[in-house]
Amino acid sequence: MLKWGIAGTGQIARAFALALNRAENCRACGVAGRRAEKAAAFAAEHRVERAYSSVEQMCADPEIEAVYVCPPHPFHAEWARCALKQGKHVLCEKPMALGMEEIHEMQRLAREQGVLLLEGYMYRCHPQTAKLVELLKAGAVGRVRSVEGAFSFRSEFNPASRLFDPALGGGAIWDIGGYPLSMANLVAAASSGNAPVRPERLEAVGVWAENGIDLLSTALVCYPAGIVGRLTVSLTSTEDNSLRIYGEGGKIVVPDPWVCDRVNPPQGRILLTRSGEAAEVIEVPCDRTSFTLEAEYFASLAAQGKTDAVFPVMSAAETVLQNELLQEWERKAAGK
Ligand SMILES: NC(=O)c1ccc[n+]([C@@H]2O[C@H](COP(=O)([O-])OP(=O)(O)OC[C@H]3O[C@@H](n4cnc5c(N)ncnc54)[C@H](OP(=O)(O)O)[C@@H]3O)[C@@H](O)[C@H]2O)c1
Protein backbone atom coordinates (compact mmCIF):
# COMPACT_ATOMS: atom_id res chain seq x y z
CA MET A 1 0.00 0.00 0.00
CA LEU A 2 1.53 3.27 -1.08
CA LYS A 3 0.72 5.99 1.46
CA TRP A 4 -0.22 9.16 -0.41
CA GLY A 5 -0.43 12.80 0.53
CA ILE A 6 -2.48 15.08 -1.73
CA ALA A 7 -0.96 18.56 -2.15
CA GLY A 8 -3.95 20.68 -3.16
CA THR A 9 -7.65 20.78 -2.41
CA GLY A 10 -9.08 21.87 -5.77
CA GLN A 11 -11.20 20.01 -8.29
CA ILE A 12 -8.55 17.60 -9.54
CA ALA A 13 -7.47 16.87 -5.95
CA ARG A 14 -11.05 15.70 -5.40
CA ALA A 15 -10.92 13.43 -8.43
CA PHE A 16 -7.63 11.96 -7.25
CA ALA A 17 -8.91 11.36 -3.70
CA LEU A 18 -11.83 9.45 -5.22
CA ALA A 19 -9.36 7.50 -7.36
CA LEU A 20 -7.17 6.64 -4.35
CA ASN A 21 -10.16 5.36 -2.43
CA ARG A 22 -10.83 2.92 -5.28
CA ALA A 23 -7.22 1.89 -5.92
CA GLU A 24 -6.08 -1.51 -4.66
CA ASN A 25 -2.52 -0.62 -3.68
CA CYS A 26 -2.95 2.95 -2.41
CA ARG A 27 -4.00 4.68 0.81
CA ALA A 28 -5.12 8.30 1.05
CA CYS A 29 -3.16 9.28 4.17
CA GLY A 30 -2.92 13.05 3.99
CA VAL A 31 -4.13 16.22 2.33
CA ALA A 32 -2.60 19.69 2.50
CA GLY A 33 -3.60 23.03 1.05
CA ARG A 34 -2.93 26.66 1.71
CA ARG A 35 -5.97 26.84 4.03
CA ALA A 36 -6.14 24.51 7.05
CA GLU A 37 -9.96 24.56 7.32
CA LYS A 38 -10.37 23.62 3.66
CA ALA A 39 -7.89 20.76 4.02
CA ALA A 40 -9.73 19.49 7.12
CA ALA A 41 -13.10 19.63 5.33
CA PHE A 42 -11.56 17.87 2.30
CA ALA A 43 -10.15 15.11 4.52
CA ALA A 44 -13.51 14.54 6.19
CA GLU A 45 -15.40 14.49 2.89
CA HIS A 46 -12.98 12.22 1.02
CA ARG A 47 -11.98 9.74 3.73
CA VAL A 48 -8.40 11.04 3.90
CA GLU A 49 -6.79 10.14 7.22
CA ARG A 50 -5.09 13.45 8.11
CA ALA A 51 -5.18 17.12 7.10
CA TYR A 52 -2.18 19.43 7.30
CA SER A 53 -2.11 23.21 7.29
CA SER A 54 0.74 23.39 4.80
CA VAL A 55 2.42 21.28 2.14
CA GLU A 56 5.71 21.60 4.09
CA GLN A 57 4.06 20.04 7.15
CA MET A 58 2.67 17.15 5.11
CA CYS A 59 6.01 16.51 3.40
CA ALA A 60 7.73 16.39 6.81
CA ASP A 61 5.47 13.50 7.91
CA PRO A 62 7.58 10.34 7.70
CA GLU A 63 4.50 8.19 7.09
CA ILE A 64 3.72 9.88 3.76
CA GLU A 65 5.55 8.05 0.96
CA ALA A 66 4.21 9.75 -2.19
CA VAL A 67 2.82 13.19 -2.90
CA TYR A 68 0.32 14.10 -5.62
CA VAL A 69 1.08 17.71 -6.61
CA CYS A 70 -1.97 19.56 -7.96
CA PRO A 71 -2.02 23.33 -7.40
CA PRO A 72 -2.21 25.67 -10.45
CA HIS A 73 0.76 25.20 -12.81
CA PRO A 74 3.09 27.96 -11.51
CA PHE A 75 3.25 26.24 -8.08
CA HIS A 76 3.96 22.69 -9.29
CA ALA A 77 7.73 23.02 -9.15
CA GLU A 78 7.86 24.53 -5.65
CA TRP A 79 5.50 21.99 -4.10
CA ALA A 80 7.17 19.07 -5.89
CA ARG A 81 10.63 20.21 -4.75
CA CYS A 82 9.35 20.36 -1.19
CA ALA A 83 8.23 16.71 -1.42
CA LEU A 84 11.30 15.48 -3.32
CA LYS A 85 13.67 17.04 -0.78
CA GLN A 86 11.95 14.96 1.90
CA GLY A 87 12.50 11.80 -0.17
CA LYS A 88 8.87 11.40 -1.28
CA HIS A 89 7.84 9.98 -4.63
CA VAL A 90 6.00 12.63 -6.66
CA LEU A 91 3.18 12.40 -9.16
CA CYS A 92 2.99 15.94 -10.51
CA GLU A 93 0.01 17.22 -12.45
CA LYS A 94 0.64 18.41 -15.98
CA PRO A 95 2.43 20.52 -17.02
CA MET A 96 5.25 19.43 -14.73
CA ALA A 97 6.49 23.04 -14.57
CA LEU A 98 6.41 26.16 -16.71
CA GLY A 99 10.19 26.40 -17.12
CA MET A 100 12.74 23.85 -18.29
CA GLU A 101 15.22 24.78 -15.55
CA GLU A 102 12.62 23.86 -12.97
CA ILE A 103 11.95 20.51 -14.64
CA HIS A 104 15.66 19.67 -14.79
CA GLU A 105 16.01 20.63 -11.13
CA MET A 106 13.04 18.43 -10.14
CA GLN A 107 14.43 15.49 -12.11
CA ARG A 108 17.87 16.00 -10.57
CA LEU A 109 16.37 15.97 -7.05
CA ALA A 110 14.39 12.81 -7.85
CA ARG A 111 17.56 11.09 -9.10
CA GLU A 112 19.54 12.17 -6.02
CA GLN A 113 16.83 10.86 -3.70
CA GLY A 114 16.26 7.70 -5.76
CA VAL A 115 12.51 8.36 -5.94
CA LEU A 116 9.90 8.28 -8.68
CA LEU A 117 8.83 11.54 -10.36
CA LEU A 118 6.13 11.33 -13.05
CA GLU A 119 4.04 13.88 -14.90
CA GLY A 120 0.32 13.13 -14.70
CA TYR A 121 -1.01 12.31 -18.15
CA MET A 122 -3.55 9.80 -16.89
CA TYR A 123 -4.88 8.79 -20.35
CA ARG A 124 -1.52 7.05 -20.89
CA CYS A 125 -2.49 4.53 -18.15
CA HIS A 126 -5.83 3.57 -19.70
CA PRO A 127 -5.95 0.24 -21.61
CA GLN A 128 -7.44 2.09 -24.61
CA THR A 129 -4.07 3.82 -25.07
CA ALA A 130 -2.22 0.51 -24.78
CA LYS A 131 -4.56 -0.98 -27.40
CA LEU A 132 -3.95 1.97 -29.73
CA VAL A 133 -0.18 1.45 -29.42
CA GLU A 134 -0.64 -2.27 -30.09
CA LEU A 135 -2.60 -1.52 -33.28
CA LEU A 136 -0.01 0.98 -34.53
CA LYS A 137 2.83 -1.43 -33.87
CA ALA A 138 0.98 -4.24 -35.63
CA GLY A 139 0.70 -1.98 -38.70
CA ALA A 140 -3.10 -2.00 -38.58
CA VAL A 141 -3.25 1.05 -40.89
CA GLY A 142 0.13 0.61 -42.52
CA ARG A 143 2.67 3.40 -42.41
CA VAL A 144 1.25 6.27 -40.35
CA ARG A 145 1.22 9.62 -42.19
CA SER A 146 -0.79 11.98 -40.00
CA VAL A 147 -2.44 12.40 -36.65
CA GLU A 148 -5.12 14.91 -35.79
CA GLY A 149 -6.17 15.64 -32.22
CA ALA A 150 -7.87 18.33 -30.18
CA PHE A 151 -8.64 19.12 -26.58
CA SER A 152 -11.23 21.86 -26.48
CA PHE A 153 -14.21 23.09 -24.51
CA ARG A 154 -16.15 26.32 -24.19
CA SER A 155 -15.52 28.10 -20.92
CA GLU A 156 -16.96 31.55 -20.17
CA PHE A 157 -14.11 34.04 -19.78
CA ASN A 158 -13.53 34.56 -16.05
CA PRO A 159 -10.39 36.53 -15.17
CA ALA A 160 -10.39 35.05 -11.65
CA SER A 161 -10.29 31.43 -12.85
CA ARG A 162 -6.90 29.70 -13.12
CA LEU A 163 -7.76 28.96 -16.78
CA PHE A 164 -7.75 32.67 -17.66
CA ASP A 165 -5.52 34.29 -15.03
CA PRO A 166 -1.94 34.84 -16.29
CA ALA A 167 -0.63 34.73 -12.71
CA LEU A 168 -2.06 31.21 -12.32
CA GLY A 169 -0.59 29.95 -15.60
CA GLY A 170 -3.79 30.58 -17.60
CA GLY A 171 -4.15 29.80 -21.29
CA ALA A 172 -5.13 26.87 -23.48
CA ILE A 173 -1.69 25.72 -24.63
CA TRP A 174 -0.29 25.10 -21.14
CA ASP A 175 -3.51 23.70 -19.73
CA ILE A 176 -4.65 21.32 -22.46
CA GLY A 177 -2.13 21.53 -25.32
CA GLY A 178 -0.19 18.73 -23.68
CA TYR A 179 -2.94 16.25 -24.58
CA PRO A 180 -2.90 16.41 -28.40
CA LEU A 181 0.84 17.11 -28.36
CA SER A 182 1.66 14.09 -26.19
CA MET A 183 -0.66 11.98 -28.35
CA ALA A 184 1.20 12.99 -31.52
CA ASN A 185 4.46 12.20 -29.70
CA LEU A 186 3.05 8.82 -28.70
CA VAL A 187 2.06 7.98 -32.28
CA ALA A 188 5.51 9.00 -33.54
CA ALA A 189 7.24 6.97 -30.80
CA ALA A 190 5.02 3.90 -31.34
CA SER A 191 5.80 4.06 -35.05
CA SER A 192 9.55 3.84 -34.34
CA GLY A 193 11.11 2.27 -31.26
CA ASN A 194 9.05 3.71 -28.33
CA ALA A 195 11.72 6.29 -27.45
CA PRO A 196 10.62 9.95 -27.62
CA VAL A 197 10.91 11.39 -31.13
CA ARG A 198 11.55 15.11 -31.53
CA PRO A 199 9.61 16.71 -34.39
CA GLU A 200 11.80 18.33 -37.03
CA ARG A 201 9.44 21.27 -37.20
CA LEU A 202 6.69 22.91 -35.18
CA GLU A 203 4.58 25.83 -36.43
CA ALA A 204 1.61 27.39 -34.67
CA VAL A 205 -1.01 30.12 -34.75
CA GLY A 206 -3.19 31.36 -31.92
CA VAL A 207 -5.73 33.85 -30.67
CA TRP A 208 -4.96 35.83 -27.51
CA ALA A 209 -7.26 37.44 -24.94
CA GLU A 210 -6.72 41.06 -23.94
CA ASN A 211 -5.10 39.99 -20.66
CA GLY A 212 -2.40 38.12 -22.59
CA ILE A 213 -3.50 34.49 -22.29
CA ASP A 214 -4.00 32.28 -25.33
CA LEU A 215 -7.60 31.21 -25.96
CA LEU A 216 -7.36 29.09 -29.09
CA SER A 217 -4.43 27.65 -30.99
CA THR A 218 -3.44 25.14 -33.64
CA ALA A 219 0.04 23.66 -33.99
CA LEU A 220 1.49 21.65 -36.86
CA VAL A 221 4.32 19.25 -36.13
CA CYS A 222 6.36 17.17 -38.53
CA TYR A 223 8.33 14.13 -37.34
CA PRO A 224 11.41 12.72 -39.10
CA ALA A 225 9.50 9.59 -40.22
CA GLY A 226 7.22 11.83 -42.28
CA ILE A 227 4.32 11.94 -39.83
CA VAL A 228 2.44 15.23 -39.60
CA GLY A 229 0.46 16.21 -36.50
CA ARG A 230 -2.40 18.72 -36.52
CA LEU A 231 -3.08 19.73 -32.95
CA THR A 232 -5.77 22.07 -31.64
CA VAL A 233 -6.70 23.50 -28.26
CA SER A 234 -9.53 25.85 -27.40
CA LEU A 235 -11.15 27.43 -24.38
CA THR A 236 -13.65 29.30 -26.57
CA SER A 237 -15.48 26.52 -28.42
CA THR A 238 -15.97 22.79 -28.21
CA GLU A 239 -14.51 21.20 -31.31
CA ASP A 240 -14.32 17.58 -32.42
CA ASN A 241 -12.17 16.12 -29.62
CA SER A 242 -11.78 12.70 -31.22
CA LEU A 243 -8.38 11.43 -32.35
CA ARG A 244 -7.86 10.60 -36.04
CA ILE A 245 -4.80 8.71 -37.24
CA TYR A 246 -4.36 8.24 -40.98
CA GLY A 247 -2.06 5.61 -42.43
CA GLU A 248 -1.28 4.43 -45.93
CA GLY A 249 -3.56 1.45 -45.32
CA GLY A 250 -6.50 3.01 -43.49
CA LYS A 251 -7.51 5.13 -40.51
CA ILE A 252 -8.03 4.86 -36.78
CA VAL A 253 -10.55 7.01 -34.93
CA VAL A 254 -10.65 7.17 -31.13
CA PRO A 255 -13.87 8.96 -30.16
CA ASP A 256 -12.80 9.63 -26.54
CA PRO A 257 -8.98 9.63 -26.53
CA TRP A 258 -8.51 11.45 -23.19
CA VAL A 259 -10.78 9.17 -21.14
CA CYS A 260 -11.11 11.88 -18.50
CA ASP A 261 -14.28 10.78 -16.69
CA ARG A 262 -13.40 11.12 -13.01
CA VAL A 263 -16.33 9.15 -11.58
CA ASN A 264 -17.33 6.40 -14.01
CA PRO A 265 -14.65 4.14 -15.50
CA PRO A 266 -14.47 5.28 -19.15
CA GLN A 267 -14.82 2.36 -21.57
CA GLY A 268 -12.35 2.31 -24.45
CA ARG A 269 -13.53 2.29 -28.06
CA ILE A 270 -11.40 2.39 -31.20
CA LEU A 271 -12.74 2.46 -34.75
CA LEU A 272 -10.37 0.83 -37.19
CA THR A 273 -11.00 1.16 -40.91
CA ARG A 274 -8.60 -0.74 -43.16
CA SER A 275 -8.67 0.62 -46.73
CA GLY A 276 -11.53 -0.89 -48.70
CA GLU A 277 -13.07 -2.57 -45.63
CA ALA A 278 -15.91 -1.67 -43.28
CA ALA A 279 -15.04 -0.02 -39.98
CA GLU A 280 -14.28 -2.45 -37.17
CA VAL A 281 -15.28 -1.39 -33.67
CA ILE A 282 -12.76 -2.47 -31.04
CA GLU A 283 -14.15 -2.27 -27.50
CA VAL A 284 -11.67 -1.94 -24.64
CA PRO A 285 -13.50 -2.67 -21.39
CA CYS A 286 -12.21 -1.04 -18.23
CA ASP A 287 -13.34 -1.23 -14.60
CA ARG A 288 -11.38 1.76 -13.24
CA THR A 289 -11.07 5.44 -14.01
CA SER A 290 -7.86 6.67 -15.63
CA PHE A 291 -6.93 8.35 -12.33
CA THR A 292 -7.25 5.08 -10.39
CA LEU A 293 -5.18 3.30 -13.06
CA GLU A 294 -2.58 6.06 -12.86
CA ALA A 295 -2.38 5.86 -9.04
CA GLU A 296 -2.13 2.06 -9.15
CA TYR A 297 0.54 2.11 -11.84
CA PHE A 298 2.56 4.69 -9.91
CA ALA A 299 2.26 2.64 -6.70
CA SER A 300 3.37 -0.54 -8.49
CA LEU A 301 6.48 1.22 -9.86
CA ALA A 302 7.29 2.61 -6.40
CA ALA A 303 6.86 -0.84 -4.83
CA GLN A 304 9.36 -2.27 -7.31
CA GLY A 305 11.87 0.52 -6.62
CA LYS A 306 11.54 1.80 -10.20
CA THR A 307 12.33 5.45 -10.84
CA ASP A 308 10.85 5.89 -14.30
CA ALA A 309 7.75 4.91 -16.25
CA VAL A 310 7.58 2.53 -19.18
CA PHE A 311 6.04 3.56 -22.53
CA PRO A 312 3.23 4.38 -23.17
CA VAL A 313 3.21 6.04 -19.71
CA MET A 314 5.19 9.27 -19.87
CA SER A 315 8.86 8.82 -18.96
CA ALA A 316 11.24 11.49 -17.64
CA ALA A 317 12.77 11.88 -21.11
CA GLU A 318 9.35 12.33 -22.67
CA THR A 319 8.41 14.93 -20.04
CA VAL A 320 11.46 16.97 -21.08
CA LEU A 321 10.55 16.75 -24.77
CA GLN A 322 6.88 17.47 -24.09
CA ASN A 323 7.55 20.63 -22.11
CA GLU A 324 10.19 21.94 -24.51
CA LEU A 325 7.65 21.54 -27.30
CA LEU A 326 4.90 23.28 -25.31
CA GLN A 327 7.23 26.24 -24.89
CA GLU A 328 7.94 26.24 -28.62
CA TRP A 329 4.21 25.96 -29.40
CA GLU A 330 3.45 28.98 -27.22
CA ARG A 331 6.33 30.99 -28.71
CA LYS A 332 5.46 30.20 -32.32
CA ALA A 333 1.75 30.83 -31.77
CA ALA A 334 2.67 34.25 -30.39
CA GLY A 335 4.63 34.93 -33.58
CA LYS A 336 8.01 34.96 -31.79
N1 LIG B 1 -4.98 15.42 -15.30
C1 LIG B 1 -6.12 16.04 -15.45
O1 LIG B 1 -7.08 15.51 -16.01
C2 LIG B 1 -6.29 17.41 -14.87
C3 LIG B 1 -7.57 17.98 -14.82
C4 LIG B 1 -7.72 19.24 -14.24
C5 LIG B 1 -6.60 19.90 -13.76
N2 LIG B 1 -5.37 19.32 -13.84
C6 LIG B 1 -4.18 20.04 -13.34
O2 LIG B 1 -4.30 20.18 -11.93
C7 LIG B 1 -3.86 21.46 -11.51
C8 LIG B 1 -4.94 22.10 -10.64
O3 LIG B 1 -6.12 22.23 -11.39
P1 LIG B 1 -7.56 22.32 -10.69
O4 LIG B 1 -8.53 22.39 -11.82
O5 LIG B 1 -7.73 21.29 -9.66
O6 LIG B 1 -7.45 23.78 -10.01
P2 LIG B 1 -8.33 24.38 -8.83
O7 LIG B 1 -9.63 23.65 -8.72
O8 LIG B 1 -8.34 25.84 -9.03
O9 LIG B 1 -7.48 24.03 -7.52
C9 LIG B 1 -6.21 24.55 -7.31
C10 LIG B 1 -5.71 24.21 -5.92
O10 LIG B 1 -4.46 24.86 -5.74
C11 LIG B 1 -4.52 25.66 -4.56
N3 LIG B 1 -3.65 26.84 -4.64
C12 LIG B 1 -2.47 26.95 -4.02
N4 LIG B 1 -1.90 28.12 -4.23
C13 LIG B 1 -2.75 28.80 -5.01
C14 LIG B 1 -2.72 30.11 -5.53
N5 LIG B 1 -1.72 30.94 -5.29
N6 LIG B 1 -3.74 30.48 -6.28
C15 LIG B 1 -4.77 29.66 -6.51
N7 LIG B 1 -4.85 28.40 -6.03
C16 LIG B 1 -3.85 27.98 -5.27
C17 LIG B 1 -5.99 26.00 -4.41
O11 LIG B 1 -6.20 26.37 -3.08
P3 LIG B 1 -7.63 26.84 -2.50
O12 LIG B 1 -8.44 25.58 -2.46
O13 LIG B 1 -7.28 27.37 -1.19
O14 LIG B 1 -8.19 27.83 -3.48
C18 LIG B 1 -6.62 24.69 -4.81
O15 LIG B 1 -6.56 23.77 -3.75
C19 LIG B 1 -3.52 22.25 -12.78
O16 LIG B 1 -2.14 22.36 -12.91
C20 LIG B 1 -4.10 21.44 -13.93
O17 LIG B 1 -3.27 21.42 -15.08
C21 LIG B 1 -5.21 18.10 -14.38
Side-chain angles (χ1 to χ4, degrees):
M1 282 282 169
L2 187 67
K3 295 178 190 132
W4 287 86
I6 302 172
T9 50
Q11 53 139 334
I12 204 64
R14 291 171 179 277
F16 198 73
L18 186 67
L20 286 184
N21 283 324
R22 293 175 180 177
E24 280 180 1
N25 53 359
C26 299
R27 226 172 91 194
C29 282
V31 59
R34 55 182 177 160
R35 288 184 275 157
E37 332 75 69
K38 194 166 174 189
F42 185 105
E45 188 183 344
H46 297 285
R47 294 189 284 131
V48 180
E49 292 165 24
R50 291 186 292 284
Y52 306 82
S53 54
S54 72
V55 173
E56 290 75 15
Q57 200 185 55
M58 183 171 79
C59 293
D61 181 338
E63 219 204 333
I64 300 287
E65 296 169 304
V67 174
Y68 175 62
V69 171
C70 59
H73 326 327
F75 312 105
H76 289 180
E78 184 189 331
W79 288 17
R81 273 197 306 263
C82 176
L84 291 166
K85 282 180 180 165
Q86 296 283 355
K88 315 295 184 194
H89 303 291
V90 169
L91 174 60
C92 184
E93 258 313 330
K94 48 80 198 159
M96 187 172 273
L98 295 174
M100 290 315 299
E101 277 178 26
E102 287 178 316
I103 291 179
H104 291 306
E105 155 85 349
M106 290 156 79
Q107 293 188 338
R108 186 184 58 73
L109 275 172
R111 276 195 304 276
E112 275 174 17
Q113 298 279 7
V115 294
L116 184 59
L117 167 65
L118 296 189
E119 187 175 17
Y121 280 97
M122 78 304 173
Y123 83 90
R124 293 289 190 97
C125 299
H126 195 281
Q128 173 176 268
T129 306
K131 184 70 193 174
L132 175 64
V133 168
E134 185 190 312
L135 290 171
L136 293 171
K137 286 190 173 297
V141 291
R143 182 177 172 189
V144 174
R145 301 316 305 240
S146 67
V147 47
E148 201 166 13
F151 200 124
S152 65
F153 52 88
R154 161 121 190 109
S155 186
E156 214 51 58
F157 188 86
N158 169 10
S161 145
R162 72 163 185 85
L163 279 182
F164 299 101
D165 182 348
L168 298 180
I173 296 170
W174 281 103
D175 197 54
I176 45 184
Y179 287 100
L181 174 64
S182 63
M183 185 59 94
N185 287 340
L186 175 140
V187 171
S191 303
S192 53
N194 287 354
V197 180
R198 184 177 293 276
E200 291 172 330
R201 235 179 122 186
L202 186 158
E203 300 297 338
V205 291
V207 173
W208 261 252
E210 280 180 8
N211 70 347
I213 64 113
D214 62 293
L215 293 169
L216 160 67
S217 183
T218 293
L220 291 173
V221 285
C222 186
Y223 295 91
I227 301 173
V228 166
R230 298 183 285 274
L231 323 172
T232 293
V233 285
S234 177
L235 302 175
T236 59
S237 48
T238 305
E239 303 198 1
D240 179 349
N241 285 328
S242 68
L243 170 75
R244 281 90 61 204
I245 299 171
Y246 300 95
E248 291 178 350
K251 72 171 177 182
I252 292 174
V253 176
V254 185
D256 178 16
W258 318 122
V259 280
C260 312
D261 196 311
R262 298 164 191 182
V263 179
N264 307 301
Q267 302 303 301
R269 200 156 159 262
I270 299 178
L271 313 179
L272 167 64
T273 311
R274 293 185 164 95
S275 301
E277 294 181 16
E280 180 188 340
V281 180
I282 301 167
E283 308 284 357
V284 188
C286 189
D287 62 359
R288 290 158 160 77
T289 65
S290 306
F291 293 96
T292 296
L293 291 166
E294 180 180 53
E296 287 182 342
Y297 177 73
F298 188 99
S300 71
L301 287 183
Q304 296 168 66
K306 300 261 171 72
T307 53
D308 206 355
V310 176
F311 186 79
V313 181
M314 196 174 285
S315 65
E318 201 187 337
T319 281
V320 169
L321 175 68
Q322 164 84 359
N323 287 280
E324 285 175 351
L325 293 174
L326 280 173
Q327 302 213 338
E328 191 176 344
W329 182 347
E330 185 185 40
R331 197 174 62 248
K332 291 274 178 69
K336 293 178 191 158

